Amino acid sequence: GATISIRQLRKTYVMGRVRVHALAGVDMDIPAGSFTVVMGPSGSGKSTLLYLLGGLERPTSGQILVDGKDLSAMDENALALYRRSTVGFVFQQFNLVPSMTALENVAFPMRFSGIRTGERLKRAKDLLTQVGLATHVKHRPTEMSGGQQQRVAIARALVHNPRLILADEPTGNLDSVTGYSIMQLLSELHQQGRTVMVVTHDPRMLRFATHTIYLLDGRVVSRDDFEKASALPE
Ligand code: ADP
Ligand code: ADP
């Protein structure tokens, strides 16, 4: 798995005259092979943290070290390589291509990798088998349940065998039983040695966590302070 160190991380969005401090100076150290759950109310900066860690957005200031390499110092090419080689992203909305079968969706990110078509399809089939969808390779997203679609999305995230899995509310669109099976699948990826970070509102995810991060207003807070704030009326 990947090791993460974050130092004084800030992300400020500027909209006209309004500045939003989505992350207002965040520090954390996440060891390789950990399963981190990020908790926090809506707007506390959880997605921003994942997007910065995934190299999908750039920080306003501060450092994000993944295996000792600073993402904020990378040029666009290096960052693109980092996203491809190191990170697997899982979203709440699955983000599958509707016109493609499960197999095509998983094989798709390998299209420019220089891997032969036959090998790509074989690897995609293996990954779908690994997530329990061997019998659904020819199904399109509309022909699958939400949980099955999320499994396809997880298989796709594994295509380049990433050391870091980032999941943004992966169970947010699923019923609670299906959601739990997706949590278990993420836990298996962790047990295989990957570093996993999950943003979630579901406290059941905590039983899989080796580390928990509580965010409030773009800052990391203690569990005590988080619970005090959660008990206050909105
Ligand atoms: P660590 O950084 O803890 O040594 P790695 O990031 O090298 O772990 O590997 C994470 C997981 O991915 C492990 O379960 C490892 O077996 C697996 N893995 C790493 N590289 C490959 C590969 N090229 N093909 C298949 N599995 C791999
Ligand atoms: P969470 O995931 O915890 O709900 P986010 O990271 O999505 O929080 O957002 C943190 C804050 O940053 C919120 O106030 C949100 O409105 C703001 N924000 C997030 N993305 C953008 C953006 N692209 N442009 C402007 N403001 C944004």
Side-chain angles (χ1 to χ4, degrees), residues 180-205:
Y180 197 77
S181 76
I182 292 297
M183 291 180 202
Q184 286 174 313
L185 179 55
L186 291 169
S187 172
E188 281 170 32
L189 302 181
H190 165 233
Q191 281 155 27
Q192 290 166 5
R194 296 187 172 87
T195 302
V196 177
M197 187 177 282
V198 184
V199 163
T200 184
H201 281 108
D202 193 333
R204 293 180 304 171
M205 195 76 96

Side-chain angles (χ1 to χ4, degrees):
T3 306
I4 300 161
S5 294
I6 289 179
R7 295 285 174 267
Q8 280 305 303
L9 185 61
R10 291 173 181 276
K11 178 70 179 180
T12 305
Y13 292 104
V14 180
M15 294 174 296
R17 289 183 299 140
V18 181
R19 300 164 75 82
V20 177
H21 301 288
L23 294 177
V26 162
D27 293 276
M28 66 181 76
D29 287 289
I30 306 288
S34 52
F35 190 117
T36 302
V37 168
V38 182
M39 308 274 284
S42 181
S44 58
K46 305 182 298 296
S47 300
T48 300
L49 176 64
L50 278 201
Y51 276 61
L52 291 174
L53 251 178
L56 298 172
E57 285 195 36
R58 287 184 174 277
T60 303
S61 63
Q63 291 186 311
I64 308 168
L65 300 160
V66 178
D67 293 334
K69 286 185 205 135
D70 187 358
L71 302 193
S72 57
M74 288 182 185
D75 64 21
E76 281 309 318
N77 285 336
L79 204 57
L81 178 63
Y82 162 78
R83 282 195 299 266
R84 243 190 350 265
S85 62
T86 308
V87 186
F89 233 105
V90 179
F91 303 91
Q92 178 173 356
Q93 309 290 350
F94 322 134
N95 293 358
L96 301 176
V97 181
S99 59
M100 290 186 186
T101 64
L103 193 71
E104 289 163 349
N105 265 287
V106 177
F108 188 62
M110 289 183 269
R111 68 202 178 287
F112 297 127
S113 60
I115 306 167
R116 286 181 305 112
T117 307
E119 177 60 26
R120 286 207 303 265
L121 295 176
K122 182 185 177 300
R123 200 183 287 188
K125 177 108 199 273
D126 287 348
L127 287 167
L128 284 167
T129 303
Q130 204 180 312
V131 299
L133 282 181
T135 57
H136 285 66
V137 292
K138 297 234 168 87
H139 287 59
R140 288 174 214 283
T142 52
E143 298 160 346
M144 288 183 282
S145 68
Q148 288 169 339
Q149 291 180 60
Q150 191 59 296
R151 284 173 188 275
V152 175
I154 290 172
R156 180 184 56 187
L158 295 175
V159 149
H160 297 296
N161 193 30
R163 284 171 291 145
L164 176 59
I165 303 282
L166 300 173
D168 193 358
E169 303 272 10
T171 64
N173 274 345
L174 304 174
D175 67 74
S176 79
V177 173
T178 306
Y180 197 77
S181 76
I182 292 297
M183 291 180 202
Q184 286 174 313
L185 179 55
L186 291 169
S187 172
E188 281 170 32
L189 302 181
H190 165 233
Q191 281 155 27
Q192 290 166 5
R194 296 187 172 87
T195 302
V196 177
M197 187 177 282
V198 184
V199 163
T200 184
H201 281 108
D202 193 333
R204 293 180 304 171
M205 195 76 96
L206 289 172
R207 79 186 55 182
F208 301 111
T210 61
H211 294 67
T212 311
I213 302 270
Y214 299 97
L215 280 181
L216 278 183
D217 297 331
R219 295 176 195 278
V220 177
V221 300
S222 69
R223 180 177 164 177
D224 260 14
D225 286 346
F226 184 78
E227 280 170 0
K228 273 180 215 150
S230 309
L232 296 174
E234 293 278 315

